[in-house]
Amino acid sequence: MRLGATAVRALTKAVGEEHVRFTPGELAPYRRDATPLFTGHPDAVVFPADTGEVAAVLGVATEHGIPVVPRGAGSNLCAATVPSHGGIVLVLTRLNRILELSRDELLARVQPGVAVARLAETAAHAGLLYPPDPGSRGVATVGGTIATCAGGLRGLKYGVTRNYVLGLEAVLPTGETIRTGGRLWKDVAGYDLTRLLTGSEGTLAVITEATVALLPMPSHSRTGVAYFGSLAEAGQAVSAILAAGVVPATLEFLDRKCVAAVEAHARLGLRTDAGALLLFGDDGPIEVVAGNMVRIRTLCTEAGAWETTLAEDVAAADALLAARRCSLPALSRLGALTILEDATVPRPRLADMVARIDEIADRHGLHIATFGHAGDGNLHPTCVLDPGEHGAADRAHKAFAEIFAAALELGGTITGEHGVGAAKLPFLADRVGDAQLALLRRVKQAFDPAGILNPGKLGS
Amino acid sequence: MRLGATAVRALTKAVGEEHVRFTPGELAPYRRDATPLFTGHPDAVVFPADTGEVAAVLGVATEHGIPVVPRGAGSNLCAATVPSHGGIVLVLTRLNRILELSRDELLARVQPGVAVARLAETAAHAGLLYPPDPGSRGVATVGGTIATCAGGLRGLKYGVTRNYVLGLEAVLPTGETIRTGGRLWKDVAGYDLTRLLTGSEGTLAVITEATVALLPMPSHSRTGVAYFGSLAEAGQAVSAILAAGVVPATLEFLDRKCVAAVEAHARLGLRTDAGALLLFGDDGPIEVVAGNMVRIRTLCTEAGAWETTLAEDVAAADALLAARRCSLPALSRLGALTILEDATVPRPRLADMVARIDEIADRHGLHIATFGHAGDGNLHPTCVLDPGEHGAADRAHKAFAEIFAAALELGGTITGEHGVGAAKLPFLADRVGDAQLALLRRVKQAFDPAGILNPGKLGS
């Protein structure tokens, strides 16, 4: 317990006694997020009810020089919500109201603690689509997914979270509340702070409200699967599909190891003899979707697919999507510890990158299976290991350092959609260079001169 | 001439004698941009050939404390490229190569001096679409339109320039060259400097290369027109179209005064007795476009349209689009001076806003016609006046101040797609508030501690 009695009293006053926790047992769940091997030691966990209380907590933190780590559901995968410097974990799940949903203006105004799936379902009831759909969307919050600029399975056609954030309310670490953007599709009054805060991982300001764009719900959708002898052929199919002018909503892949794990776990009837599985899907008017399915199947066959199958109905489509969505849980069953990564390369280098990953895994004696977003070149190499095995975690760290280096060598990046956090910070300079890293730090300082907001993360 | 002999020698050395101008006659064209009533006094105009020369010029400017105003075609409409503090006008039109166009990766890599229309035509030859299409696209450069986050006639369905910028190379005023983003659709390594530089109006860094996303070219497009008795009814039609789940590429409007001016100028056969003209258009697969045209026409009729007409062929569609695109030249013929503005409101307030504009114009005895992007709520009230008439310019300034205040009152903004520049800077605090304005200045300082880049504009 490093907080002084004055700070404790001030925090208690800011949010009410029942919404602040100090005991080790109560703090324990907030020592980590969904990132393995990263832990911190929070001094307090605080649950504000509204923007005013967030500002009050930040005021206390500034006055006493206490680090503040904003957090939604804690499903972050790069240790961006781990309190690595101690201090206050600021949990925003009580700000959980959908304030407005407008069919007329195609937008919603929501508080940061609303789960993405809840926003999407509410929108769907009104015939509207909120496209960002990260794997964790059942628990991940709107605030958290904006703070990480989360992606998902529909990024190719629909883009990522950034494309749907119209405006933000945010509290600066210096205490002021600002509103950026708003309800407008076009607004260039001032630097684009809306997009700067999107993806800033809780290091620049605390998001307390978001206005997000929605789309009319597509009337139809279809999903299918193609099996290939090798990932190289699947990669060629992806290139051929895009070059043919088809940009479907979904183009996901599983490598051989991943298909085996999923089939063993979920018994979906997948072909485990194939070198790669490509999941494709599209939505829109029925004639467009039907036409695209025909073209995608033809192009897959031309690229060497062993077979292609369309899901006959919604249940069958859901089963196929489940194959992709359960990749992580299926792999997790293979070992006590699962490290899910997020390297990304230009689309045409996808197969090269998976080959590099396999080579690196073999050399380090590790089981790394890879799945991901073939349309975006966004890969999730996933290492399953027994942390009790001597040196296994060290070997995994070394392997991932090599994987990031390989991604950069192929013109890619160290993270496509998970973020930098504490986990990827050591690799950031390799991606952006020293001059840009220094600039990122100056931008951080412009927002947070005292450095109280999420220290040890992006901008540090 | 305020530049010392050393600075003159250094600039000459940086770009070569034939690419730097100092004489009053040579400087004259660079005293202004496309914004009326704003002029500056440049001390030198410099035409660098590449990134290295841009860096060298910025080095000289830093050493001697000389302001630098980056400029493309100078078609800016908010005086963002006027050298209001003198110094160097840095003209980027020699960096005019399309470096790469990839059908496979759906992207182009271009230098900043390439005209938007040239990029779009080159992409079209490869079967690809570059959606941003500001009215000035024939001359406006890619660099300039990124620096302003330009919009255009397709913003509703396709978004604005921001949505298509994947990566940038830029020279910081401190001399370093950075590369942000890249060829990847998903990349969250670091703060989103790509989007921060987009719309930064040449105040943070000089863009020297851009990687932009392209889309497959839609196979079909149709354009039509609807006439309404009032703008209020046209506004209701727009709301009904969007609420019905139709998001067409184009939904543009002209008010009565605008239709009259266009018809007098271009003799397109428009109905001048109507209160408003709504231009609609969509692109995509033929069956989707055809279906949307039927739905839009039905919804317009239900909202009270007098008549709706579809262009029979491409020539007829071009004529209709010309009606919208020639609004500005048509209005310009009515007076010696034309002030084109850019206030924006939430879509449902469009008709209210035009009514406010008309009331303000009448009260100040001004001729202000309004056209714009109905789908985005982005209006271009355009004032035509005789600057020789005593007090006319003053009255126009007063009227526009009231128009901006009205836009803000209706939940809108002072600029949707033109930018802040020097022209709108006095109104920026009203839009973003004092705390955010101070923050914008700190962001500016993080990039440009010496304040040499485009002083007197955004960030000042």
Side-chain angles (χ1 to χ4, degrees):
Chain A
M1 183 69 172
R2 301 184 301 172
L3 298 186
T6 325
V8 167
R9 266 199 309 276
L11 285 177
T12 306
K13 184 162 173 253
V15 297
E17 204 169 341
E18 67 277 36
H19 300 300
V20 55
R21 311 266 187 278
F22 298 104
T23 70
E26 291 169 319
L27 299 181
Y30 300 94
R31 293 187 54 201
R32 59 188 77 229
D33 56 22
T35 322
L37 305 175
F38 285 84
T39 53
H41 291 278
D43 300 298
V45 181
V46 173
F47 302 82
D50 56 32
T51 305
E53 290 190 7
V54 170
V57 171
L58 285 174
V60 175
T62 299
E63 194 185 333
H64 297 270
I66 308 166
V68 176
V69 182
R71 176 182 163 126
S75 53
N76 187 276
L77 287 162
C78 61
T81 48
V82 169
S84 34
H85 288 52
I88 299 164
V89 175
L90 183 70
V91 184
L92 293 150
T93 45
R94 287 179 69 213
L95 285 81
N96 64 356
R97 284 184 302 142
I98 296 176
L99 302 168
E100 183 187 355
L101 189 90
S102 168
R103 285 195 63 177
D104 202 24
E105 294 192 60
L106 294 173
L107 59 80
R109 213 154 47 78
V110 294
Q111 291 190 313
V114 172
V116 172
R118 201 179 124 220
L119 169 60
E121 281 155 25
T122 307
H125 274 290
L128 298 171
L129 174 69
Y130 179 64
D133 67 335
S136 53
R137 70 202 188 292
V139 293
T141 62
V142 171
T145 52
I146 291 175
T148 50
C149 189
L153 268 60
R154 291 191 280 231
L156 179 57
K157 176 169 159 178
Y158 287 109
V160 293
T161 299
R162 172 197 309 129
N163 299 79
Y164 297 90
V165 185
L166 294 173
L168 294 173
E169 180 191 78
V171 182
L172 301 178
T174 42
E176 305 98 328
T177 300
I178 60 170
R179 295 192 78 98
T180 72
R183 309 169 76 88
L184 307 167
W185 261 238
K186 286 180 178 171
D187 186 357
V188 290
Y191 299 130
D192 191 348
L193 299 189
T194 306
R195 254 57 59 168
L196 184 59
L197 292 178
T198 303
S200 65
E201 303 185 12
T203 65
L204 299 182
V206 179
I207 295 166
T208 49
E209 189 187 305
T211 305
V212 297
L214 305 170
L215 296 176
M217 183 66 78
S219 56
H220 290 82
S221 69
R222 289 303 294 269
T223 304
V225 65
Y227 293 95
F228 294 86
S230 70
L231 241 169
E233 288 167 318
Q236 281 154 19
V238 169
S239 288
I241 291 163
L242 296 172
V246 181
V247 181
T250 298
L251 270 182
E252 301 282 312
F253 79 99
L254 281 68
D255 75 358
R256 185 194 302 266
K257 291 181 262 186
C258 219
V259 174
V262 168
E263 186 56 23
H265 171 59
R267 304 273 169 220
L268 296 163
L270 306 177
R271 281 187 68 160
T272 53
D273 55 339
L277 178 161
L278 187 69
L279 192 73
F280 51 87
D282 200 14
D283 53 17
I286 189 164
E287 55 278 56
V288 174
V289 175
N292 282 348
M293 290 298 106
V294 171
R295 293 168 77 190
I296 290 172
R297 293 178 75 177
T298 306
L299 291 162
C300 282
T301 304
E302 286 172 10
W306 291 355
E307 66 169 89
T308 69
T309 317
L310 273 194
E312 288 299 323
D313 50 32
V314 173
D318 285 347
L320 282 180
L321 288 169
R324 166 61 182 82
R325 293 209 184 266
C326 81
S327 295
L328 181 58
L331 289 166
S332 300
R333 283 171 28 125
L334 303 181
L337 189 75
T338 310
I339 305 174
L340 171 69
E341 262 308 336
D342 184 36
T344 301
V345 292
R347 289 175 197 133
R349 312 307 299 268
L350 190 77
D352 295 346
M353 185 64 203
V354 176
R356 297 281 286 268
I357 291 169
D358 287 345
E359 184 275 319
I360 291 164
D362 289 348
R363 190 152 38 74
H364 289 278
L366 292 165
H367 187 81
I368 302 183
T370 303
F371 60 94
H373 315 290
D376 311 313
N378 183 198
L379 300 100
H380 295 309
T382 304
C383 183
V384 190
L385 55 82
D386 175 0
E389 189 194 322
H390 181 69
D394 275 354
R395 278 184 287 128
H397 275 134
K398 273 186 197 140
F400 277 116
E402 291 178 27
I403 286 171
F404 299 143
L408 293 178
E409 207 183 303
L410 294 174
T413 188
I414 57 172
T415 173
E417 59 182 6
H418 291 173
V420 174
K424 231 75 81 77
L425 195 58
F427 305 99
L428 187 57
D430 295 339
R431 168 62 182 142
V432 303
D434 291 335
Q436 190 169 166
L437 193 64
L439 179 60
L440 296 180
R441 288 177 178 146
R442 296 200 298 274
V443 170
K444 160 78 174 174
Q445 271 212 313
F447 279 79
D448 183 16
I452 61 159
L453 208 50
N454 214 354
K457 314 293 172 55
L458 192 51
S460 300
Chain B
M1 184 69 173
R2 300 184 304 172
L3 297 186
T6 325
V8 167
R9 267 198 309 275
L11 284 178
T12 305
K13 184 161 173 254
V15 297
E17 206 169 337
E18 66 277 36
H19 299 300
V20 55
R21 310 266 188 278
F22 299 105
T23 69
E26 292 168 320
L27 300 180
Y30 300 93
R31 292 187 57 200
R32 60 188 76 229
D33 57 20
T35 322
L37 305 175
F38 285 84
T39 53
H41 290 277
D43 300 299
V45 181
V46 173
F47 302 83
D50 56 31
T51 305
E53 291 191 4
V54 170
V57 171
L58 286 174
V60 175
T62 300
E63 196 186 330
H64 297 269
I66 308 167
V68 175
V69 182
R71 174 180 165 128
S75 53
N76 187 275
L77 287 162
C78 61
T81 47
V82 168
S84 35
H85 288 51
I88 300 164
V89 176
L90 183 71
V91 184
L92 293 150
T93 47
R94 287 179 68 213
L95 284 82
N96 63 356
R97 285 183 302 142
I98 296 176
L99 302 168
E100 184 188 355
L101 188 91
S102 169
R103 286 195 63 179
D104 203 24
E105 293 191 61
L106 294 174
L107 58 80
R109 214 155 45 78
V110 294
Q111 292 190 312
V114 172
V116 171
R118 201 179 123 220
L119 169 60
E121 281 155 25
T122 307
H125 274 290
L128 298 171
L129 174 71
Y130 179 65
D133 68 335
S136 53
R137 72 203 187 290
V139 293
T141 61
V142 171
T145 52
I146 291 174
T148 49
C149 189
L153 268 60
R154 293 192 280 232
L156 178 58
K157 175 168 160 179
Y158 286 108
V160 293
T161 299
R162 172 198 307 128
N163 299 80
Y164 297 91
V165 186
L166 293 173
L168 294 172
E169 179 191 79
V171 183
L172 302 178
T174 43
E176 306 97 328
T177 299
I178 60 169
R179 295 192 77 97
T180 72
R183 308 169 77 86
L184 308 166
W185 261 238
K186 286 180 178 171
D187 186 357
V188 291
Y191 299 131
D192 190 349
L193 299 190
T194 306
R195 254 57 60 168
L196 183 59
L197 291 179
T198 302
S200 65
E201 304 185 11
T203 64
L204 299 183
V206 179
I207 296 166
T208 49
E209 189 187 306
T211 305
V212 298
L214 304 170
L215 296 176
M217 183 65 76
S219 57
H220 291 81
S221 69
R222 290 303 295 268
T223 304
V225 64
Y227 293 95
F228 294 86
S230 70
L231 243 169
E233 286 167 319
Q236 282 155 19
V238 169
S239 288
I241 291 164
L242 296 171
V246 181
V247 181
T250 298
L251 271 182
E252 300 284 312
F253 79 98
L254 280 69
D255 74 359
R256 184 194 302 265
K257 290 180 261 186
C258 221
V259 174
V262 167
E263 186 55 25
H265 171 57
R267 304 275 168 216
L268 297 163
L270 305 177
R271 281 187 69 161
T272 53
D273 56 339
L277 178 161
L278 187 70
L279 191 73
F280 51 87
D282 200 14
D283 53 18
I286 190 164
E287 55 278 56
V288 174
V289 175
N292 282 349
M293 290 298 107
V294 171
R295 292 168 79 189
I296 290 172
R297 292 179 75 178
T298 306
L299 291 162
C300 283
T301 304
E302 286 172 11
W306 291 355
E307 66 169 270
T308 70
T309 317
L310 273 195
E312 289 300 322
D313 50 33
V314 173
D318 285 347
L320 282 180
L321 288 169
R324 166 62 183 81
R325 291 210 185 265
C326 81
S327 295
L328 182 57
L331 289 166
S332 301
R333 283 171 29 126
L334 303 181
L337 188 77
T338 310
I339 305 173
L340 172 69
E341 263 307 337
D342 184 37
T344 301
V345 292
R347 288 176 198 132
R349 312 308 296 271
L350 190 77
D352 295 346
M353 185 63 202
V354 177
R356 296 282 284 267
I357 291 170
D358 287 345
E359 184 275 318
I360 291 165
D362 289 347
R363 189 152 39 72
H364 289 279
L366 293 165
H367 187 82
I368 302 183
T370 303
F371 60 95
H373 315 291
D376 311 313
N378 182 198
L379 300 100
H380 295 310
T382 303
C383 183
V384 189
L385 54 81
D386 175 0
E389 189 195 323
H390 182 69
D394 274 355
R395 277 185 286 130
H397 276 134
K398 274 186 197 140
F400 277 116
E402 289 178 28
I403 286 171
F404 299 143
L408 294 178
E409 208 184 304
L410 294 174
T413 187
I414 57 171
T415 173
E417 58 183 7
H418 291 175
V420 173
K424 232 76 81 79
L425 195 58
F427 304 99
L428 187 57
D430 295 339
R431 169 61 181 143
V432 302
D434 291 335
Q436 191 171 165
L437 192 63
L439 178 60
L440 296 180
R441 288 177 178 147
R442 296 200 299 273
V443 170
K444 159 78 173 173
Q445 272 213 312
F447 280 78
D448 184 17
I452 61 159
L453 209 50
N454 214 354
K457 314 292 170 58
L458 191 52
S460 299

